[in-house]
Amino acid sequence: MGYNDLGDFYNERGDLQQAFKNFVRTRDYCTTSKHIISMCLNVILVAINLGQFHHVSNYVAKAEQTPDNLEPLIVAKLKVAAGLAYLENQKYKLAARKFVETSPDLGASFNDVIAAQDVATYGGLCALASFDRAELKSKVIENRNFKNYLELVPEVRELIHDFYASRYASCLGYLQKLKTNLTLDIHLHDHVESLYTLIRHKALIQYTTPFISVNLNRMADAFKTTVVGLEKELAALIMENQIQARIDSHNKILHARHADQRNGTFQRSLQTGTDFERETRAMLVRANLLKHDMVVRGTRK
């Protein structure tokens, strides 16, 4: 209790290093699971404020390993803390999973660290940047728990639905409106450009995937950009092997290079037949050798 009081005192004064040390010292005096969880949450809170997210990950894992069943509120706090740690390390897919798995029990109880609106924003943007369409539908759009958070931030909800419905101009418009506030966000400001780039690249890839050829003028209109700028973006994605295509700059058409599945199937069938013939011949030769007792035996000493 003494170390906890000292930790609270230094935390309120803003001396986070001393607060962290005192909260960590309570670990030697924890005798029950409740004490361990309380200690972990105190350390996590101060570690987040210090920006030491490796400690956050360690103490989240320690709290989750307690033998007793955790209360839903505690689980929700640990989920968002782990999500923030993954976000800081640019592991956007893992961060998204933690945020979308957070139950509505969190409410306003963890506002010192993250508000409910932030859970929707962080989870939504990380999911758009890292989830495929199937995951986006099952884990975000059809996730009843996460819907409660998305209702608090209608812009994020709408941009996710627009992205899934391939309404890219509207989706990118919502992203642009949110950008100013997000660049001032305490946790997200360092990741805005990376997330926006990943989301835009995913949209470009998703737009081109179903077609054999794409008119770049129409595509530029869909993405509210110039044809020259679009060509540069597509060329970069082609160089990174994220889009299998070539650009006809004269006619302003993107031609996809889809694999010839029919020819590939025939080639695999022929190879399977060749392998079977070779293995069968080897088996027959071995059987004849054994039949005629043509076996090389080692000399006995």
Side-chain angles (χ1 to χ4, degrees), residues 232-255:
K232 290 180 179 178
E233 289 184 276
L234 291 172
L237 290 171
I238 291 170
M239 292 294 290
E240 293 171 4
N241 208 30
Q242 294 191 51
I243 293 179
Q244 303 295 323
R246 55 186 175 83
I247 299 172
D248 182 349
S249 295
H250 178 70
N251 295 314
K252 303 301 179 187
I253 294 175
L254 180 78
H255 295 283

Side-chain angles (χ1 to χ4, degrees), residues 18-53:
Q18 285 297 325
F20 183 82
K21 289 178 182 178
N22 280 283
F23 283 135
V24 169
R25 285 171 184 162
T26 63
R27 179 175 54 188
D28 297 331
Y29 303 95
C30 293
T31 56
T32 65
S33 297
K34 188 176 181 180
H35 291 162
I36 293 171
I37 292 166
S38 177
M39 178 271 297
C40 289
L41 288 174
N42 286 332
V43 173
I44 288 168
L45 175 62
V46 178
I48 289 172
N49 291 331
L50 282 169
Q52 297 177 354
F53 285 92

Side-chain angles (χ1 to χ4, degrees), residues 174-184 192-193 196:
Y174 279 118
L175 285 172
Q176 197 59 39
K177 289 177 184 177
L178 290 169
K179 190 171 184 179
T180 303
N181 289 333
L182 295 179
T183 52
L184 301 174
V192 172
E193 293 298 334
Y196 271 47

Side-chain angles (χ1 to χ4, degrees), residues 82-229:
L84 289 174
Y86 285 129
L87 175 64
E88 185 65 24
N89 292 320
Q90 297 185 347
K91 296 178 180 178
Y92 299 128
K93 189 164 192 174
L94 294 173
R97 285 176 179 170
K98 291 296 181 183
F99 288 126
V100 301
E101 289 170 2
T102 304
S103 70
D105 296 302
L106 184 69
S109 62
F110 214 33
N111 278 358
D112 290 344
V113 174
I114 186 171
Q117 292 88 335
D118 295 331
V119 175
T121 303
Y122 299 172
L125 292 180
C126 289
L128 283 178
S130 58
F131 284 177
D132 58 31
R133 284 181 63 82
E135 285 181 305
L136 191 65
K137 183 180 181 182
S138 63
K139 295 182 179 179
V140 179
I141 296 173
E142 295 179 350
N143 185 336
R144 292 184 179 180
N145 286 337
F146 196 64
K147 274 184 181 179
N148 294 319
Y149 289 109
L150 289 175
E151 292 299 326
L152 302 175
V153 192
E155 294 88 352
V156 175
R157 180 194 64 206
E158 292 303 318
L159 76 87
I160 290 172
H161 284 283
D162 285 342
F163 185 92
Y164 186 77
S166 301
R167 296 190 291 266
Y168 300 115
S170 176
C171 172
L172 296 172
Y174 279 118
L175 285 172
Q176 197 59 39
K177 289 177 184 177
L178 290 169
K179 190 171 184 179
T180 303
N181 289 333
L182 295 179
T183 52
L184 301 174
D185 188 276
I186 190 170
H187 296 299
L188 205 62
H189 66 279
D190 285 336
H191 307 280
V192 172
E193 293 298 334
S194 299
L195 288 169
Y196 271 47
T197 301
L198 289 170
I199 292 169
R200 187 174 179 84
H201 285 177
K202 274 193 68 179
L204 291 169
I205 294 166
Q206 192 170 289
Y207 185 96
T208 59
T209 298
F211 304 111
I212 295 174
S213 63
V214 178
N215 186 306
L216 294 184
N217 291 301
R218 292 183 180 179
M219 189 174 177
D221 290 338
F223 283 87
K224 300 296 182 184
T225 186
T226 63
V227 175
V228 175

